[in-house]
Amino acid sequence: SILMILISLSALSAYGQKGLELIETNIPAHKFSSYGDSYLWTKNWWLTNKIIVDTSKGGNAIAKGSKLNKDKIDSISVEFSKYLPPNTIRFGGLLPRINFGAADKTNPYIKTSIYSIKDSAATLIGQFIIEFGPGSHNSMPDITDIMVVNLSTVEAYPVDKVLNWYQRKAVTLEKNITPPQIARN
């Protein structure tokens, strides 16, 4: 359920470090639970541990027709770890905030921006996008693509907005927040 996903994400905050896990998605809130489960398997197993758990053991799967494979995921995981050390993801005290209603892609996706919070400063330390394709395993949509975004192409949200989201009690943000422009080369 969405509540269990949020509890799992919030449990990370018990380790003391402060951070914001800003999740932007075009998936409707009422369908988010299964996508959220697949997101957590991908983030916590594929990207931080380089382990694709077999579907017979409850894991999610790569979508048919995807260009992803074990070697490509290992390579993406190395890139992911440059920006987001596994311990930040596992124990980084990341508070989740979800913006439902973003719509800049056609396939269902979750774009996550990780901000480090210290005093009155907020620094974007990493961003990645998980895109979902057709098909599902274990009631979780299959993964068609994973992208680690080069931060030089991203304009972070203003510090005051990030701090406001971080301090909110509600996990769900207002719908359709306008993201900063992404620089395109």
Side-chain angles (χ1 to χ4, degrees), residues 89-122:
I89 296 300
R90 292 184 197 128
F91 314 116
L94 300 174
L95 294 178
R97 298 296 181 258
I98 303 172
N99 172 32
F100 292 103
D104 59 348
K105 288 183 166 285
T106 54
N107 289 338
Y109 74 95
I110 294 175
K111 176 175 78 174
T112 301
S113 302
I114 306 294
Y115 287 87
S116 173
I117 308 290
K118 185 171 182 178
D119 300 323
S120 60

Side-chain angles (χ1 to χ4, degrees), residues 5-6 14 26-27 30-32 44 52 55 63 65 77 110-111 129-130 150 155 161-162 166 172 174 181:
I5 291 167
L6 298 174
N26 63 350
I27 301 163
H30 69 280
K31 292 184 178 181
F32 189 76
N44 295 334
I52 300 174
T55 56
S77 177
I110 294 175
K111 176 175 78 174
I129 301 169
I130 297 174
N150 181 334
E155 182 180 335
K161 192 169 234 179
V162 173
Y166 179 77
T172 302
E174 58 272 17
Q181 295 298 312

Side-chain angles (χ1 to χ4, degrees), residues 18-138:
K18 294 180 181 180
L20 174 69
E21 181 174 15
L22 178 60
I23 298 168
E24 298 174 86
T25 183
N26 63 350
I27 301 163
H30 69 280
K31 292 184 178 181
F32 189 76
S33 182
S34 62
Y35 287 95
D37 288 343
S38 191
Y39 164 80
L40 288 174
W41 277 92
T42 304
K43 179 184 76 162
N44 295 334
W45 287 98
W46 297 14
L47 295 176
T48 56
N49 291 313
K50 295 184 188 176
I51 298 171
I52 300 174
V53 178
D54 191 85
T55 56
S56 67
K57 295 182 179 171
N60 59 343
I62 297 169
K64 287 183 181 176
S66 170
K67 294 180 182 176
L68 292 175
N69 60 39
K70 174 68 171 132
D71 290 337
K72 181 147 178 146
I73 290 171
D74 285 349
S75 176
I76 293 169
S77 177
V78 168
E79 187 69 17
F80 180 83
S81 296
K82 286 180 188 176
Y83 295 105
L84 297 162
N87 283 341
T88 298
I89 296 300
R90 292 184 197 128
F91 314 116
L94 300 174
L95 294 178
R97 298 296 181 258
I98 303 172
N99 172 32
F100 292 103
D104 59 348
K105 288 183 166 285
T106 54
N107 289 338
Y109 74 95
I110 294 175
K111 176 175 78 174
T112 301
S113 302
I114 306 294
Y115 287 87
S116 173
I117 308 290
K118 185 171 182 178
D119 300 323
S120 60
T123 306
L124 179 64
I125 61 171
Q127 186 177 86
F128 61 98
I129 301 169
I130 297 174
E131 197 170 288
F132 302 91
S136 67
H137 290 81
N138 297 316

